[in-house]
């Protein structure tokens, strides 16, 4: 071991001991430092007796057991740490900084989400829906969203484009989201059913999903929610409320907080209902539900927003 390295090691040990004496048990390491530490150092002479070199990211409290140490093959040219020096290291764990932990979990999350999406896109559990659909409409938006909307099922426009809420009801939903100060890109939008409910040949319009179809498809939504972990869920309409809460009666239950697996859930009217019933009172009801959602999320609410759809 070179003198320079020995000095550096002593200084590091001293610094860590100082931290330990002050009660510090973990050291945050910046992404840059971790990257730099992961690079092989300039080759140094290997002490034949030591045969040990450090490995980042694990506790160093017990050199005998710790995976901080591994046998030095020396092919990496990494600095060599003697057992004596290792034993002198204080019991301070070297852990990646929160930035590293977050970025790792974010990439794991997006990989898990992509895998879930692949499974859903290939799903043929409902043969009638699989053969009639143009697209599986998995969901859209930000998988880090704090707010997630759940609708019923794709309609013809959504089936055509492969994205939820892009038809007339979807455009109204987009306006509602904008009125809160958020955008579609800030939230996540999905449906109970990922395929458009098939219609008898020659008939137009939409049909409500069958209970069996909902039961078959809902595990995908459960997994989406489990991965996204939104702070608040909004169930759009009776079918979404039924799928998530197993409760019926949207007129009575909307406007009150419910819980889906510990996540606050606000049921509100489906935007398609607002298109059918243009009464100001109904728009205000939905808006009051959204105000409650905004409050729950700690979003700022202006006086103007407070008064939307109030008769003057
Ligand atoms: N209605 C829904 O419930 N979901 C959609 O994606 C579109 C319309």
């Amino acid at each position: 071991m070179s003198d320079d390295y020995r000095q550096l090691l002593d200084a590091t040990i001293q610094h860590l001991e100082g931290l330990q004496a002050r009660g510090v048990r973990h050291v945050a390491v910046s992404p840059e430092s971790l990257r730099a530490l992961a690079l092989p150092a300039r080759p140094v002479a290997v002490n034949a007796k030591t045969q040990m070199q450090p490995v980042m990211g694990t506790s160093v409290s017990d050199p005998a057991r710790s995976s901080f140490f591994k046998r030095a093959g020396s092919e990496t040219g990494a600095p060599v740490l003697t057992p004596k020096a290792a034993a002198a290291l204080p019991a301070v764990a070297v852990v990646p900084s929160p930035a590293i932990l977050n970025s790792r979990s974010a990439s794991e999350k997006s990989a898990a989400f992509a895998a879930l999406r692949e499974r859903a896109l290939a799903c043929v559990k409902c043969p009638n829906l699989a053969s009639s659909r143009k697209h599986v409409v998995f969901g859209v938006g930000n998988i880090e969203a704090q707010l997630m909307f759940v609708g019923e099922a794709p309609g013809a426009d959504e089936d055509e484009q492969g994205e939820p809420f892009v038809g007339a009801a979807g455009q109204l939903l987009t306006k509602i989201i904008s009125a809160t100060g958020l955008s579609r890109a800030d939230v996540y939008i999905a449906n109970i059913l990922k395929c458009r409910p098939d219609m008898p040949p020659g008939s137009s319009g939409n049909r409500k999903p069958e209970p069996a179809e909902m039961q078959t498809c809902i595990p995908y939504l459960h997994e989406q929610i489990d991965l996204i972990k939104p702070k608040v869920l909004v169930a759009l309409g009776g079918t979404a409320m039924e799928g998530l809460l197993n409760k019926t009666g949207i007129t009575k239950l909307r406007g009150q907080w419910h819980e889906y697996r510990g996540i606050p859930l606000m049921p509100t009217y489906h935007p398609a209902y607002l298109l059918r019933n243009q009464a100001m009172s109904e728009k205000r009801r939905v808006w009051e539900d959204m105000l409650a959602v905004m409050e729950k999320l700690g979003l700022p609410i202006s006086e103007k927003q407070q008064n939307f759809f109030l008769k003057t």
Side-chain angles (χ1 to χ4, degrees):
M1 187 183 302
S2 73
D3 281 353
D4 284 354
Y5 182 68
R6 174 79 252 172
Q7 275 176 15
L8 199 61
L9 189 59
D10 285 344
T12 307
I13 291 167
Q14 215 175 352
H15 177 65
L16 290 172
E17 279 175 343
L19 291 176
Q20 188 187 29
R22 278 178 269 135
V24 176
R25 290 292 172 270
H26 295 88
V27 181
V29 183
S30 73
E32 293 74 31
S33 305
L34 265 190
R35 265 196 296 276
L37 286 165
L39 290 173
R42 269 176 286 123
V44 292
V46 176
N47 181 329
K49 279 191 220 153
T50 63
Q51 299 291 299
M52 304 294 255
Q53 68 186 42
V55 176
M56 292 307 301
T58 50
S59 168
V60 295
S61 58
D62 183 350
R65 282 180 294 132
S66 173
S67 60
F68 185 85
F69 298 94
K70 69 173 186 185
R71 288 264 150 213
S74 250
E75 67 281 2
T76 62
V80 171
L81 193 62
T82 67
K84 198 171 156 214
L89 282 172
V92 175
V94 178
V95 294
S97 66
I100 284 223
L101 290 173
N102 286 342
S103 70
R104 185 186 299 146
S105 68
S107 67
E108 279 170 5
K109 179 170 166 174
S110 71
F113 213 79
L116 173 62
R117 185 188 184 91
E118 286 307 306
R119 272 195 283 130
L121 295 194
C123 182
V124 289
K125 286 182 192 161
C126 306
N128 53 320
L129 304 189
S131 62
S132 64
R133 75 187 176 212
K134 289 188 179 143
H135 285 104
V136 172
V137 181
F138 179 68
V140 72
N142 184 353
I143 64 167
E144 302 294 339
Q146 300 207 332
L147 176 56
M148 178 167 174
F149 290 89
V150 177
E152 181 175 302
D157 294 313
E158 290 75 21
D159 182 42
E160 193 68 46
Q161 296 182 43
E163 184 173 327
F165 284 98
V166 290
Q171 284 159 28
L172 180 52
L173 176 63
T174 304
K175 280 188 192 166
I176 294 170
I177 294 169
S178 304
T180 67
L182 298 172
S183 72
R184 271 175 83 100
D186 294 321
V187 303
Y188 196 86
I189 307 172
N191 283 310
I192 299 284
L193 230 63
K194 308 297 187 219
C195 294
R196 181 176 189 222
D198 56 342
M199 298 295 290
S203 56
S204 58
N206 298 314
R207 71 163 170 84
K208 195 174 149 20
E210 296 290 344
E213 292 167 341
M214 289 171 65
Q215 225 175 17
T216 304
C217 201
I218 206 147
Y220 294 121
L221 180 64
H222 290 318
E223 283 193 56
Q224 283 175 302
I225 298 172
D226 284 351
L227 283 168
I228 294 172
K229 294 191 189 354
K231 282 217 174 103
V232 171
L233 280 160
V234 174
L236 298 164
T239 304
M241 192 182 73
E242 218 176 305
L244 289 171
L245 297 178
N246 206 19
K247 286 179 182 165
T248 56
I250 184 75
T251 313
K252 247 171 76 182
L253 296 185
R254 63 139 282 280
Q256 299 163 33
W257 285 108
H258 299 258
E259 248 186 36
Y260 163 88
R261 298 192 193 182
I263 302 172
L265 182 149
M266 175 60 73
T268 194
Y269 290 138
H270 194 287
Y273 167 76
L274 292 183
L275 291 177
R276 292 193 301 272
N277 185 342
Q278 298 272 342
M280 191 85 135
S281 57
E282 301 306 274
K283 288 178 189 165
R284 176 68 195 177
R285 285 197 173 103
V286 169
W287 183 242
E288 278 175 4
D289 300 343
M290 293 311 300
L291 286 173
V293 165
M294 290 167 72
E295 200 180 326
K296 185 71 97 188
L297 289 172
L299 295 175
I301 302 176
S302 68
E303 206 181 323
K304 192 173 162 200
Q305 282 173 315
Q306 200 78 55
N307 295 330
F308 281 166
F309 307 113
L310 277 180
K311 287 193 191 93
T312 49

